[in-house]
Amino acid sequence: MNHPLLQVRDLRVDFGRHTALRDVSFDLFRSETMALVGESGSGKSTLARAILRLVGAAQGRVEFMGLDLLRIPASQLRAQRRNLQIVFQDPLASLDPRMSVGEAIAEPLRIFEPTLTAAERSRRVAAMLERVGLSAGLAGRYPHEFSGGQCQRIGIARAMVLHPSLLICDEAVSSLDVSIQGQILNLLLDLQREAGMTMLFITHNLAVARQLSHRVMVMYLGRLVEIASCDALFAAPVHPYTRALLAAVPQIPPLAAAAPAARGERAVPDVTASGCAFRDRCPYALRVCETTDPPLLEVAPGQWAACHRSHETLNPLS
Amino acid sequence: MVATLRIDELSVSFAHRTGTAAAVDGVSLCIAPAECVGVVGESGSGKTQLFLAVMGLAGNAKVSGSIRFQGEELLGAAAPAINRVRGSKLTMMFQDPMTSLTPHLSIGTQLAEVVVCHLGRSWGEARIAAGRMLERVRIPEPQRRLNQYPHELSGGMRQRVMLAMSLLCEPALVIADEPTSALDVTIQAQIIGLLRAVRGEAGTALALISHDLAVVAGLADRILVMYAGRIVEHGAAAELFRQPRHPYTAGLLECVPSLSGPRLARLPTLAGQPPRPGEALQGCSFAPRCPRAADRCRSERPVLTGASTRQVACHFPLA
Amino acid sequence: MRGFAGGALERLRANPAAVLALGVIFAVVVTALLGPWLNPNDTHTIDWLHVAARPGLQSAHWFGTDRLGRDLYARTLAGARVSMAIGLVASILSVVVGVSYGAISGYLGGRIDQAMMRVIEIFSGLPLIFFVILLTVIFGRSESLLFISIGAVGWLTMARIVRGQALSIRRQDFIAAAVASGAGAGRIIARHVVPNVIGPVIVYATLTVPQIMLFESFLSFLGLGIQEPGASLGTLIAEGVGEMEAAPWMLAVPGSLLAVLLLCLNILGDGLRDALDVREG
């Protein structure tokens, strides 16, 4: 088993009284695509930002290439940033409206390769634009002149120009039209394959996650509830929330019967409450679920679930 | 039997720096009583502008054509006539539950207001009716919600309130504009189930606008596919999904990743991007992206042809 | 910044009041700079034959003369030059200081921001005229004192405005993207925050110029600013007030010029705000 590229341990992020992330631990291996799925309030975007130290973590470790990103001094962190990049959800908002797209893509080059001449920089920018499917001549244009899909390509170009080892995509295709999503996803797949890059793909769309990933993590209200290989998760989900999520996705042609989905609404997480965060909505909840927080345990090789009944749910539940 | 909604050659255009842009271009459609029609399209398709024009909410756009609701012409009608119909017999649910409810009025007040204005009842009776409607939309703790404010409710609950508001006066047609797009998947499933149940009970017609084909698949009897301001295909839902005839519909269906199909090395895509509103196009607006496009497609605009229940606007339709 | 500036210019051109105001300001500036060549009189030569003479296009003194027989046309234009120069220079200084201060304070946030805002609040709270009078009593009248007091005032609101903008900009995704790209605070403030606050800055700068001119005029009117034989519109107005009944043109000429300049600058400022506020797309 190769050493993981990224190791997150016991990560916790608080925003005042509200805990956005709790006890998050996982490994990310080289060249794999890990999908991170969850609904709003699950903490998936917060996790991405915490890994990059764009928000502060209350506790935990994020080990990347032997360094704990949360503890190294700011200058060292900045130096590491060339290896860890992110593509944001809103393509237009992630580009500075007052900078041409060529300048936006060139900025990482200016920061990390300041010895490049202007000509060399332009060449690299042009090559990157072509690589993401845009004409090099568009470098002088401004973000508002492009469509959403094109802006996302520019965001990807900027993230890839330094060939990072890890790319985090935070809902990178969620605000794009369906007919454009495939284009961007294919681009990401191609780039990843070419560079052997590791990708953490955050999405609320399970079908997209299924097409793209090797492994999948599921989050609910700031906790990791299941980690499994893609095939295993979609064929035989263990955690009741994962099952509810899969059952809720509308399909073409529509499914006839409804499997036990999640009841009610997502509760506002209470820091002082004990027990499993999903218990109010879980059709399989027991007394123990109200008192004890289930730990994330390996229930089968490579499959982890945080559920008191996980040993049962591998077989059909009554 | 008179159609609940009948639209003929409706066009909605906006004045632009460089001319006019047509958001909706000559659309005709019919919604029968108690029918659920799904209107599917991506950005720039005009699906939302179409129904905003029906509701008279098109702003300073230029609207031409005919909109007949239960036989009465709405376009150009006097304000009192429109207001009698709008909000009572013809209602709309908007996409963003956060901004569609008035923030400083309680839920009970907003619901009761509809009843008082349209049905002329007293405030006391109206509040009782509001409470009953909240029960019908299966909102948890309905009596408590009456005194709460929009910011105290979650997105899913606000959408239920919007639905309640739309149903209060027993409308003939409810227009739901992307009712689940801003909601989580698990909540979305609940709202779709709710819409299905309520439709069955109330016998209202429903116009469901969405970019999500799967959401529409679960609810609609008939589906209209829009592209660049025009209807490119329509037909019964099951048939349209099984055998799409327009290359755009077929392409769109392929592009939607599924949970059950095989995992692919590359995802199917449609080349290019939808035209921006106002881009004047000669011939078929889909031709630049169509794998089957021929010269005729680029010069001659296709019109909707076929049986009245199954039409497609394409020179070279599939199958 | 082609996309940004081009659209803004178009919208400004379409605003007749702003275009007219710009034209008037331009005309005044040109006249103030070239005026001396049009008229043989200078600002301090005393014409003993025409003391307190009425204005008239036929006479040698188009705007008349003042109590000492100095040509009012030349003096008014000289006064306009001084007032506008002070307005311009002080505005530029206030923009530079205010923008830097506000951008740094707003972007860094937290305790640094709180401390920097306290400084601004202290300065804002000072009763400025008393402050200036106190300094004058201690150090005597001087032009550098004028600059210091104007400088102490000019940058405050600019800093506040820029800070407010910076506070909202720093939450945007493109700032997070810049941080994720490894940019340090300095680069982000200079290359991402400041260019995105330019809109309100330009508008406010155009409104600061008349404010400063008025403040300078007021100080000079009180006798705290420009000294004889130098002239600013303020000192000319002060002299004119004394002669209001006997020689009203001594007040009317510099007074109306100041009023016209201030009005046009304000109209231009409003027009710029309308032109720059509209978002693209």
PDB file of all heavy atoms in Angstrom, chain C residues 221-237:
ATOM      1  N   PHE C 221     -10.668  82.280   4.257  1.00  0.00           N
ATOM      2  CA  PHE C 221     -11.651  83.294   4.616  1.00  0.00           C
ATOM      3  C   PHE C 221     -11.464  83.705   6.076  1.00  0.00           C
ATOM      4  O   PHE C 221     -11.576  84.886   6.420  1.00  0.00           O
ATOM      5  CB  PHE C 221     -13.053  82.726   4.394  1.00  0.00           C
ATOM      6  CG  PHE C 221     -14.175  83.663   4.697  1.00  0.00           C
ATOM      7  CD1 PHE C 221     -14.539  84.636   3.769  1.00  0.00           C
ATOM      8  CD2 PHE C 221     -14.862  83.585   5.893  1.00  0.00           C
ATOM      9  CE1 PHE C 221     -15.593  85.505   4.042  1.00  0.00           C
ATOM     10  CE2 PHE C 221     -15.918  84.458   6.158  1.00  0.00           C
ATOM     11  CZ  PHE C 221     -16.276  85.401   5.229  1.00  0.00           C
ATOM     12  N   LEU C 222     -11.141  82.737   6.910  1.00  0.00           N
ATOM     13  CA  LEU C 222     -10.920  83.040   8.320  1.00  0.00           C
ATOM     14  C   LEU C 222      -9.559  83.662   8.558  1.00  0.00           C
ATOM     15  O   LEU C 222      -9.234  84.041   9.670  1.00  0.00           O
ATOM     16  CB  LEU C 222     -10.999  81.757   9.160  1.00  0.00           C
ATOM     17  CG  LEU C 222     -12.366  81.121   9.308  1.00  0.00           C
ATOM     18  CD1 LEU C 222     -12.257  79.869  10.158  1.00  0.00           C
ATOM     19  CD2 LEU C 222     -13.342  82.096   9.944  1.00  0.00           C
ATOM     20  N   GLY C 223      -8.761  83.722   7.505  1.00  0.00           N
ATOM     21  CA  GLY C 223      -7.446  84.310   7.666  1.00  0.00           C
ATOM     22  C   GLY C 223      -6.389  83.303   8.065  1.00  0.00           C
ATOM     23  O   GLY C 223      -5.289  83.664   8.477  1.00  0.00           O
ATOM     24  N   LEU C 224      -6.712  82.026   7.956  1.00  0.00           N
ATOM     25  CA  LEU C 224      -5.774  81.009   8.418  1.00  0.00           C
ATOM     26  C   LEU C 224      -4.977  80.371   7.289  1.00  0.00           C
ATOM     27  O   LEU C 224      -4.173  79.495   7.514  1.00  0.00           O
ATOM     28  CB  LEU C 224      -6.554  79.897   9.147  1.00  0.00           C
ATOM     29  CG  LEU C 224      -7.300  80.368  10.393  1.00  0.00           C
ATOM     30  CD1 LEU C 224      -8.239  79.268  10.879  1.00  0.00           C
ATOM     31  CD2 LEU C 224      -6.308  80.732  11.469  1.00  0.00           C
ATOM     32  N   GLY C 225      -5.218  80.785   6.079  1.00  0.00           N
ATOM     33  CA  GLY C 225      -4.604  80.059   4.970  1.00  0.00           C
ATOM     34  C   GLY C 225      -3.616  80.900   4.167  1.00  0.00           C
ATOM     35  O   GLY C 225      -2.616  81.383   4.679  1.00  0.00           O
ATOM     36  N   ILE C 226      -3.944  81.057   2.913  1.00  0.00           N
ATOM     37  CA  ILE C 226      -3.046  81.749   1.971  1.00  0.00           C
ATOM     38  C   ILE C 226      -2.846  83.203   2.411  1.00  0.00           C
ATOM     39  O   ILE C 226      -3.772  83.886   2.802  1.00  0.00           O
ATOM     40  CB  ILE C 226      -3.665  81.733   0.556  1.00  0.00           C
ATOM     41  CG1 ILE C 226      -3.951  80.292   0.147  1.00  0.00           C
ATOM     42  CG2 ILE C 226      -2.775  82.423  -0.435  1.00  0.00           C
ATOM     43  CD1 ILE C 226      -2.742  79.490  -0.215  1.00  0.00           C
ATOM     44  N   GLN C 227      -1.585  83.621   2.314  1.00  0.00           N
ATOM     45  CA  GLN C 227      -1.249  84.983   2.742  1.00  0.00           C
ATOM     46  C   GLN C 227      -1.219  85.941   1.566  1.00  0.00           C
ATOM     47  O   GLN C 227      -0.997  85.538   0.443  1.00  0.00           O
ATOM     48  CB  GLN C 227       0.136  84.986   3.382  1.00  0.00           C
ATOM     49  CG  GLN C 227       0.302  83.943   4.468  1.00  0.00           C
ATOM     50  CD  GLN C 227      -0.693  84.174   5.564  1.00  0.00           C
ATOM     51  OE1 GLN C 227      -0.836  85.322   6.034  1.00  0.00           O
ATOM     52  NE2 GLN C 227      -1.384  83.144   5.962  1.00  0.00           N
ATOM     53  N   GLU C 228      -1.386  87.232   1.869  1.00  0.00           N
ATOM     54  CA  GLU C 228      -1.133  88.279   0.856  1.00  0.00           C
ATOM     55  C   GLU C 228       0.326  88.239   0.450  1.00  0.00           C
ATOM     56  O   GLU C 228       1.180  87.921   1.255  1.00  0.00           O
ATOM     57  CB  GLU C 228      -1.418  89.659   1.471  1.00  0.00           C
ATOM     58  CG  GLU C 228      -2.887  89.943   1.607  1.00  0.00           C
ATOM     59  CD  GLU C 228      -3.490  90.412   0.301  1.00  0.00           C
ATOM     60  OE1 GLU C 228      -2.727  90.957  -0.538  1.00  0.00           O
ATOM     61  OE2 GLU C 228      -4.678  90.221   0.114  1.00  0.00           O
ATOM     62  N   PRO C 229       0.741  88.621  -0.777  1.00  0.00           N
ATOM     63  CA  PRO C 229      -0.142  88.999  -1.874  1.00  0.00           C
ATOM     64  C   PRO C 229      -0.696  87.814  -2.654  1.00  0.00           C
ATOM     65  O   PRO C 229      -1.331  87.978  -3.665  1.00  0.00           O
ATOM     66  CB  PRO C 229       0.751  89.854  -2.760  1.00  0.00           C
ATOM     67  CG  PRO C 229       2.112  89.267  -2.564  1.00  0.00           C
ATOM     68  CD  PRO C 229       2.141  88.756  -1.156  1.00  0.00           C
ATOM     69  N   GLY C 230      -0.424  86.634  -2.183  1.00  0.00           N
ATOM     70  CA  GLY C 230      -0.987  85.468  -2.854  1.00  0.00           C
ATOM     71  C   GLY C 230      -2.507  85.507  -2.758  1.00  0.00           C
ATOM     72  O   GLY C 230      -3.072  86.167  -1.905  1.00  0.00           O
ATOM     73  N   ALA C 231      -3.145  84.801  -3.634  1.00  0.00           N
ATOM     74  CA  ALA C 231      -4.614  84.802  -3.607  1.00  0.00           C
ATOM     75  C   ALA C 231      -5.145  83.403  -3.808  1.00  0.00           C
ATOM     76  O   ALA C 231      -4.577  82.622  -4.556  1.00  0.00           O
ATOM     77  CB  ALA C 231      -5.153  85.718  -4.699  1.00  0.00           C
ATOM     78  N   SER C 232      -6.194  83.093  -3.085  1.00  0.00           N
ATOM     79  CA  SER C 232      -6.968  81.910  -3.449  1.00  0.00           C
ATOM     80  C   SER C 232      -8.386  82.420  -3.527  1.00  0.00           C
ATOM     81  O   SER C 232      -8.679  83.532  -3.100  1.00  0.00           O
ATOM     82  CB  SER C 232      -6.854  80.810  -2.395  1.00  0.00           C
ATOM     83  OG  SER C 232      -7.692  81.109  -1.301  1.00  0.00           O
ATOM     84  N   LEU C 233      -9.289  81.623  -4.055  1.00  0.00           N
ATOM     85  CA  LEU C 233     -10.674  82.064  -4.162  1.00  0.00           C
ATOM     86  C   LEU C 233     -11.203  82.430  -2.773  1.00  0.00           C
ATOM     87  O   LEU C 233     -12.003  83.357  -2.625  1.00  0.00           O
ATOM     88  CB  LEU C 233     -11.534  80.967  -4.807  1.00  0.00           C
ATOM     89  CG  LEU C 233     -11.238  80.734  -6.290  1.00  0.00           C
ATOM     90  CD1 LEU C 233     -12.098  79.606  -6.843  1.00  0.00           C
ATOM     91  CD2 LEU C 233     -11.480  82.004  -7.090  1.00  0.00           C
ATOM     92  N   GLY C 234     -10.735  81.733  -1.770  1.00  0.00           N
ATOM     93  CA  GLY C 234     -11.185  82.038  -0.414  1.00  0.00           C
ATOM     94  C   GLY C 234     -10.775  83.419   0.054  1.00  0.00           C
ATOM     95  O   GLY C 234     -11.590  84.165   0.603  1.00  0.00           O
ATOM     96  N   THR C 235      -9.504  83.749  -0.160  1.00  0.00           N
ATOM     97  CA  THR C 235      -9.058  85.070   0.289  1.00  0.00           C
ATOM     98  C   THR C 235      -9.759  86.154  -0.521  1.00  0.00           C
ATOM     99  O   THR C 235     -10.137  87.189   0.015  1.00  0.00           O
ATOM    100  CB  THR C 235      -7.540  85.252   0.126  1.00  0.00           C
ATOM    101  OG1 THR C 235      -7.204  85.060  -1.247  1.00  0.00           O
ATOM    102  CG2 THR C 235      -6.796  84.243   0.981  1.00  0.00           C
ATOM    103  N   LEU C 236      -9.963  85.913  -1.811  1.00  0.00           N
ATOM    104  CA  LEU C 236     -10.649  86.913  -2.642  1.00  0.00           C
ATOM    105  C   LEU C 236     -12.075  87.115  -2.149  1.00  0.00           C
ATOM    106  O   LEU C 236     -12.590  88.222  -2.115  1.00  0.00           O
ATOM    107  CB  LEU C 236     -10.660  86.463  -4.095  1.00  0.00           C
ATOM    108  CG  LEU C 236      -9.283  86.435  -4.785  1.00  0.00           C
ATOM    109  CD1 LEU C 236      -9.407  85.848  -6.178  1.00  0.00           C
ATOM    110  CD2 LEU C 236      -8.706  87.847  -4.856  1.00  0.00           C
ATOM    111  N   ILE C 237     -12.711  86.025  -1.775  1.00  0.00           N
ATOM    112  CA  ILE C 237     -14.079  86.146  -1.266  1.00  0.00           C
ATOM    113  C   ILE C 237     -14.071  86.923   0.043  1.00  0.00           C
ATOM    114  O   ILE C 237     -14.938  87.763   0.303  1.00  0.00           O
ATOM    115  CB  ILE C 237     -14.710  84.747  -1.080  1.00  0.00           C
ATOM    116  CG1 ILE C 237     -14.952  84.113  -2.456  1.00  0.00           C
ATOM    117  CG2 ILE C 237     -16.006  84.827  -0.305  1.00  0.00           C
ATOM    118  CD1 ILE C 237     -15.445  82.693  -2.386  1.00  0.00           C
TER     119      ILE C 237
END
